[in-house]
Amino acid sequence: MTLRKIIHIDMDAFYASIEQRDNPELRGKPIAVGREEERGVVAAASYEARKFGVRSAMASTRARKLCPELIFVPGRMEVYKKVSEQIRDIFAEYTDLIEPLSIDEAFLDVTENKKGMELAVDIAKEIKRRIREELHLVASAGVSYNKFLAKVASDYRKPDGLCTIHPDQAQDFIDHLPVEAFWGVGKVTAKKMHELFIHTGKDLRACSLEMLTHYFGKAGQLYHDFARGIDERPVEVIRIRKSLGCEHTLERDLTSRTSLIIELYHVTTELVERLKRHNFRGNTLTLKIKFHDFTQITRSQSTVQPLVTLQDILPLAKQLLKEVDCEHHAVRLIGLSVSNPQEDRKGVWRQLELPFKR
């Protein structure tokens, strides 16, 4: 069996790097892409800012406290999209098997590539060089025989990293990985694993499939395979959209249910416009609420008929809101999404971007 050759390319501090590239006065300085205001959120941070603990999705007020010299720069999504397309054009010179994960990262399957290059690491080096020379930006790359290891490798030596995980080195590499580095293991899952005395890939590999599925459900199979260097997922060029949604960060924290219903109406109106624009029809509505302390909950309900119009969605959204204790927990953000698409839908999409949200 021929081993696949997978590359994961991840742009380093993508939005912030573009701003520093286009404005020489910002180079070498801590910058944050986003709005500097009480309700603002950091969309991206330069590596100079990250040294102070500034991170994406952080409240702007918190970022300012961590880094008093932080420079806020308004986002320019149209520019970022254009640069992303230029990067993708470079990828396409080597392979057509490209799976974008977001606007600034993608998987490439170069097992059979257009250049006839034998080593995937040479392709990764060439792509990194071209991104630097042609676009004046920096990318990190990971190379391995599956998506999981390629992703881990690209994160291993950031920024400007290049790491190859060979098959004969993979198990030892995985055994020494902290579980936080595993794909799909967030803070909550990592905490649960630590409570089960699972701290490294070696600890994870010692767990039975039955144990992992008992504690982590379907994801248990994934963790079981990853701990053994197994990941058969292909690089997918086209995906069926599984959900569509929108969310609003409120101008001020709200506890009034009446005020929240008004905001819910605005979110629903925007969602209906997006559903129409993308010709998306789903049967499950999910309400997302983020409280003043940044904790969040979701509430979902499925219907027999597709959720398409304001009349379909708003009453159901109000019903979901009734399940939320807003009077004692001020709400900072409210969002809605429709998922569980109908099987006969013909639309497909390419996952190219993660847009800014209000």
Side-chain angles (χ1 to χ4, degrees), residues 30-43:
I31 74 166
V33 177
R35 299 179 298 172
E36 184 181 15
E37 53 189 52
E38 186 177 353
R39 311 298 294 180
V41 176
V42 174

Side-chain angles (χ1 to χ4, degrees), residues 237-243 347-353:
V237 179
I238 297 177
R239 294 181 173 182
I240 299 296
R241 184 189 287 275
K242 296 182 180 179
S243 66
V348 296
W349 72 303
R350 295 182 185 275
Q351 184 178 349
L352 291 176
E353 60 178 282

Side-chain angles (χ1 to χ4, degrees), residues 86-331:
Q86 292 171 329
I87 294 168
R88 184 183 174 90
D89 288 342
I90 292 175
F91 295 163
E93 293 188 28
Y94 298 87
T95 180
D96 291 326
L97 297 179
I98 304 167
E99 179 183 346
L101 298 181
S102 66
I103 194 171
D104 62 349
E105 63 175 318
F107 285 112
L108 286 68
D109 187 330
V110 296
T111 309
E112 296 181 5
N113 58 85
K114 296 179 181 180
K115 302 279 189 176
M117 299 172 69
E118 181 179 357
L119 298 179
V121 66
D122 290 338
I123 296 176
K125 288 178 181 178
E126 195 167 300
I127 288 174
K128 278 171 52 67
R129 176 184 59 77
R130 291 189 57 185
I131 289 173
R132 182 187 293 275
E133 293 178 357
E134 297 174 24
L135 303 177
H136 308 290
L137 295 170
V138 176
S140 289
V143 181
S144 197
Y145 61 91
N146 63 39
K147 291 166 70 173
F148 162 61
L149 288 170
K151 177 69 169 68
V152 170
S154 70
D155 292 334
Y156 194 62
R157 291 175 179 155
K158 291 175 69 72
D160 197 17
L162 176 61
C163 177
T164 300
I165 302 177
H166 295 281
D168 56 352
Q169 302 169 336
Q171 193 60 67
D172 184 64
F173 187 94
I174 295 168
D175 283 351
H176 288 85
L177 275 181
V179 291
E180 291 84 350
F182 277 68
W183 201 351
V185 177
K187 290 183 179 179
V188 175
T189 302
K191 181 180 178 182
K192 190 172 183 179
M193 286 186 174
H194 292 167
E195 291 171 351
L196 295 169
F197 303 102
I198 304 171
H199 299 277
T200 66
K202 186 176 182 179
D203 296 334
L204 192 61
R205 186 161 58 93
C207 299
S208 68
L209 177 59
E210 291 73 20
M211 173 189 170
L212 293 175
T213 53
H214 173 74
Y215 285 104
F216 304 104
K218 292 181 180 179
Q221 177 73 63
L222 203 64
Y223 303 148
H224 179 271
D225 290 347
F226 284 175
R228 291 159 177 76
I230 301 169
D231 182 7
E232 301 297 337
R233 295 171 303 163
V235 171
E236 298 178 311
V237 179
I238 297 177
R239 294 181 173 182
I240 299 296
R241 184 189 287 275
K242 296 182 180 179
S243 66
L244 186 65
C246 58
E247 57 189 43
H248 290 177
T249 298
L250 309 180
E251 294 298 328
R252 57 188 177 84
D253 296 340
L254 296 176
T255 56
S256 165
R257 193 167 294 275
T258 300
S259 298
L260 284 170
I261 289 175
I262 293 173
E263 291 295 337
L264 192 63
Y265 171 82
H266 293 309
V267 176
T268 306
T269 301
E270 181 178 337
L271 176 60
V272 168
E273 292 175 355
R274 291 190 179 189
L275 292 171
K276 182 179 180 180
R277 187 163 63 248
H278 293 280
N279 190 29
F280 186 84
R281 301 164 67 87
N283 294 77
T284 299
L285 182 69
T286 299
L287 171 70
K288 173 183 175 181
I289 295 291
K290 182 179 289 186
F291 297 110
H292 66 97
D293 60 357
F294 285 85
T295 59
Q296 65 182 44
I297 62 170
T298 59
R299 296 290 183 268
S300 300
Q301 186 169 328
S302 296
T303 61
V304 175
Q305 298 299 321
L307 299 164
V308 179
T309 68
L310 188 69
Q311 291 72 28
D312 298 328
I313 297 172
L314 187 57
L316 187 56
K318 289 180 180 179
Q319 185 64 39
L320 293 173
L321 185 62
K322 288 182 180 179
E323 302 177 19
V324 180
D325 180 9
C326 306
E327 288 78 7
H328 300 94
H329 300 85
V331 174

Side-chain angles (χ1 to χ4, degrees), residues 58-69:
M58 177 180 286
S60 297
T61 51
R62 169 67 174 159
R64 171 62 72 194
K65 289 178 182 178
L66 290 173
C67 181
E69 303 301 318

